[in-house]
Amino acid sequence: MEHQNDIRLVLNGREVAVKDVKATTTLLDFLRLEQRLTGTKEGCAEGDCGACTVLVGRLQDGALRFETVNACIRFLASLNGCHVITVEHLSGPKGRLHPVQQAMVDYHGSQCGFCTPGFVMSLYALWMQTPQPTEAQVETAVQGNLCRCTGYEPIVKAALAVNQYGTPANDYLNTERAALTAQLEAIQPRTRVVTGPEDDRAILPLDVTDLAEVLAENPKATIVAGSTDVGLWVTKFMKPISPVVFVSHLEELKAIDLTDEALTIGAGVTYTESEAAIREAFPHLVEYWDRIAGWQVRNMGTIGGNIANGSPIGDTPPVLIALGAEVTLQKKDGARTLPLEDFFIDYGKQDREPGDFVASIRIPRPAKGQIDAAYKISKRRDEDISSVAAGISVTVADGTITAARIAFGGMAATPKRAAGAEAALVGQPWGEAAFDAAAEAVKQDFTPLSDWRASAEYRSLTASNLLRRFYLENDADKPGAVRLAVA
Ligand SMILES: Cc1cc2nc3c(=O)[nH]c(=O)nc-3n(C[C@H](O)[C@H](O)[C@H](O)COP(=O)(O)OP(=O)(O)OC[C@H]3O[C@@H](n4cnc5c(N)ncnc54)[C@H](O)[C@@H]3O)c2cc1C
Ligand code: FES
Ligand code: FES
């Protein structure tokens, strides 16, 4: 098949074509080592500190959309057809400081300065989207940025003041939007892209049909969507991953379809992209979504990637299993759909045949009388992986529990349903006795491991207490009451 063998992007307004791009070259290395744009810093190289934050602009449904990403775990090849904006490109009128930079200066938001470019980029994205943010919105925007010097307060004050220094309507990304959109339209791929040496090959299929073809030709290829897991395999574990098939540019994997029956989301939909539909169809998940990673990672990371990696501590599988989600896998000869819980066979083993890719996830909308909850227990509130995650869905009719789906992450080698706890509830009258029995039964459902996140005893007690919490939060007779078992 005819193919393009270079990566074409716009960097700070200038079109760049790079030949022979290795699949594992990160955007950060490209910026710092090849382009000498050293304003973007390397702190952790694992998506945690935000020092490497840049903006990536891409066309979605014909519209130009800019969002923050971590350059340290984003692969350059995945940015074919995108616009990268680094801190060097920010400027105010007549070469003065940009409003975000001036606010950071005036409010003493920078001390040693190492984190500053990353914060500036996150606050720039926030100001463009929400010029007059609340304190809570500022905190969400900088969830993925760490500062060891300032104690954050001056940065939050600067963020709240940016709009006094200038309005987004006058910003380059808005005044030049039409020209920037045309510039990106001109470099959108018309064929498959194949670049890099044999042992570090990057392939960008043209569309989903081509993806199936590429995977049939390369059944052992590594699929990369947001690279928020795979990026670390490279930067931390030096793992060879060639050939790499990038999918984050495939619009067909970004479809979101919300009907009266179900929400169907393409595997390539990011956490950020799914927020509006989640808010509408599953409001109980809104706060939980906000606790997945930080803003930059949510802008890149996909629900498909979270499922496909098969991690026992991924946040979406337990809550989606509890909601009765199904996953559709596709390959060249067709597609098959299975209950999400059946996808996870064992630790590191999923029901994926050679050439299969995750295409979409379907989540049925809650039935009448269904009460849903999602809980994440982690050491830090933000930007942390779960010690225990739980999805609980209980259906009640005329005071009797008619159905229960309870799934946990962090309790077994895979995300798993709590069969004993479910059985203890179904057929029982809604009430404390049923949930006390379920809270005891769940201890027999799992034999969790101890690790540095939590001990086995802690995990077991937490799972048990989450069932009691669910009851207390949802019992009309005890509004707001919290009474947890301690032993
Ligand atoms: C700083 C940081 C914080 C994080 N915090 C959290 C957190 O709080 N909770 C949490 O659950 N996770 C967290 N993660 C992990 C990660 O962000 C998620 O697992 C994310 O959903 C992965 O999606 P991705 O698109 O980036 O996947 P990728 O890294 O691109 O891929 C992950 C895996 O899925 C496979 N894959 C991707 N797409 C497909 C597809 N369509 N078909 C088949 N296989 C596919 C890849 O081959 C790989 O095995 C964090 C990561 C970082 C770096
Ligand atoms: S260097 Fe820390 S998030 Fe990229
Ligand atoms: S100013 Fe020093 S790390 Fe933030």
Side-chain angles (χ1 to χ4, degrees):
M1 183 189 194
E2 187 204 346
H3 60 255
Q4 174 186 324
N5 62 6
D6 57 1
I7 296 298
R8 296 171 202 167
L9 66 152
V10 180
L11 175 59
N12 291 338
R14 176 175 56 93
E15 198 179 316
V16 181
V18 198
K19 278 210 172 306
D20 300 325
V21 177
K22 292 180 178 171
T24 55
T25 297
T26 62
L27 172 61
L28 184 63
D29 280 351
F30 171 71
L31 293 175
R32 290 181 60 84
L33 307 178
E34 292 181 37
Q35 299 290 316
R36 308 307 293 171
L37 291 169
T38 51
T40 307
K41 305 297 179 207
E42 177 165 23
C44 63
E46 59 180 55
D48 261 316
C49 75
C52 64
T53 303
V54 298
L55 289 196
V56 167
R58 59 191 165 89
L59 295 176
Q60 191 165 2
D61 298 327
L64 178 56
R65 169 185 181 129
F66 278 93
E67 54 203 356
T68 51
V69 308
N70 299 110
C72 65
I73 51 170
R74 185 79 199 215
F75 297 115
L76 175 65
S78 72
L79 296 166
N80 189 54
C82 295
H83 189 160
V84 176
I85 305 258
T86 69
V87 71
E88 285 85 354
H89 204 52
L90 264 63
S91 133
K94 299 189 186 139
R96 290 200 298 270
L97 287 181
H98 187 274
V100 176
Q101 293 168 319
Q102 193 59 55
M104 284 286 274
V105 171
D106 291 353
Y107 284 83
H108 308 286
S110 179
Q111 289 185 17
C112 82
F114 192 82
C115 70
T116 308
F119 270 98
V120 165
M121 295 311 283
S122 291
L123 296 184
Y124 179 32
L126 173 68
W127 173 70
M128 291 294 289
Q129 196 173 297
T130 314
Q132 288 177 300
T134 61
E135 203 163 314
Q137 286 168 321
V138 173
E139 283 175 10
T140 300
V142 297
Q143 269 175 327
N145 292 83
L146 297 182
C147 175
R148 66 188 170 173
C149 305
T150 61
Y152 299 99
E153 203 173 329
I155 297 176
V156 173
K157 285 187 175 149
L160 293 171
V162 177
N163 213 41
Q164 297 163 17
Y165 293 82
T167 152
N170 296 332
D171 189 83
Y172 158 81
L173 292 188
N174 281 329
T175 56
E176 301 302 311
R177 186 157 288 260
L180 295 174
T181 304
Q183 204 178 9
L184 281 193
E185 275 164 357
I187 58 164
Q188 292 312 297
R190 314 271 178 253
T191 63
R192 185 188 290 182
V193 178
V194 181
T195 185
E198 176 87 42
D199 62 349
D200 206 353
R201 178 70 39 94
I203 307 171
L204 283 80
L206 183 62
D207 51 27
V208 163
T209 310
D210 192 31
L211 169 63
E213 190 73 46
V214 169
L215 291 174
E217 291 162 16
N218 303 275
K220 294 207 169 128
T222 308
I223 299 176
V224 172
S227 70
T228 60
D229 283 313
V230 178
L232 278 71
W233 301 356
V234 172
T235 61
K236 295 285 137 173
F237 307 119
M238 319 285 174
K239 193 174 154 186
I241 57 169
S242 182
V244 176
V245 179
F246 289 100
V247 299
S248 61
H249 59 290
L250 297 176
E251 288 220 3
E252 295 139 292
L253 292 186
K254 289 197 166 286
I256 298 179
D257 181 33
L258 181 57
T259 65
D260 288 346
E261 283 75 46
L263 170 64
T264 305
I265 32 187
V269 173
T270 64
Y271 295 107
T272 301
E273 288 164 344
S274 65
E275 261 170 29
I278 291 289
R279 179 167 286 110
E280 188 172 341
F282 304 101
H284 74 286
L285 288 180
V286 170
E287 197 190 328
Y288 188 84
W289 237 233
D290 183 54
R291 291 199 49 204
I292 297 175
W295 198 20
Q296 297 91 328
V297 169
R298 287 200 299 276
N299 287 337
M300 299 193 280
T302 61
I303 297 150
N306 199 234
I307 288 170
N309 77 12
S311 165
I313 46 172
D315 279 335
T316 64
V319 296
L320 297 181
I321 290 172
L323 289 168
E326 295 173 323
V327 59
T328 296
L329 298 155
Q330 197 174 321
K331 63 177 170 177
K332 196 177 169 193
D333 355 324
R336 66 197 165 101
T337 298
L338 61 153
L340 180 58
E341 63 211 79
D342 294 347
F343 179 65
F344 304 104
I345 298 171
D346 204 344
Y347 183 74
K349 188 165 181 227
Q350 295 85 45
D351 185 353
R352 255 185 80 193
E353 293 167 6
D356 265 352
F357 60 93
V358 178
S360 62
I361 300 104
R362 182 182 183 277
I363 320 161
R365 293 187 84 158
K368 190 163 174 278
Q370 184 175 321
I371 306 168
D372 299 307
Y375 300 115
K376 171 168 176 166
I377 307 297
S378 57
K379 289 194 168 187
R380 284 189 313 202
R381 188 202 177 276
D382 291 325
E383 188 87 286
D384 203 0
I385 304 287
S386 299
S387 307
V388 176
I392 305 178
S393 289
V394 169
T395 309
V396 184
D398 298 328
T400 299
I401 298 170
T402 54
R405 293 181 65 90
I406 302 168
F408 284 93
M411 294 293 290
T414 60
K416 200 164 172 262
R417 281 175 75 178
E422 290 177 359
L425 291 175
V426 177
Q428 300 302 312
W430 168 273
E432 193 161 8
F435 281 90
D436 278 348
E440 280 312 304
V442 78
K443 294 179 184 165
Q444 310 307 316
D445 280 327
F446 300 103
T447 315
L449 290 176
S450 291
D451 61 18
W452 62 270
R453 281 200 180 88
S455 66
E457 294 74 22
Y458 176 89
R459 288 191 155 106
S460 212
L461 184 58
T462 298
S464 180
N465 277 341
L466 287 176
L467 286 164
R468 295 179 202 275
R469 176 173 162 183
F470 174 84
Y471 165 67
L472 291 167
E473 283 180 350
N474 290 293
D475 191 69
D477 293 341
K478 300 185 180 62
V482 175
R483 186 178 56 81
L484 302 182
V486 288

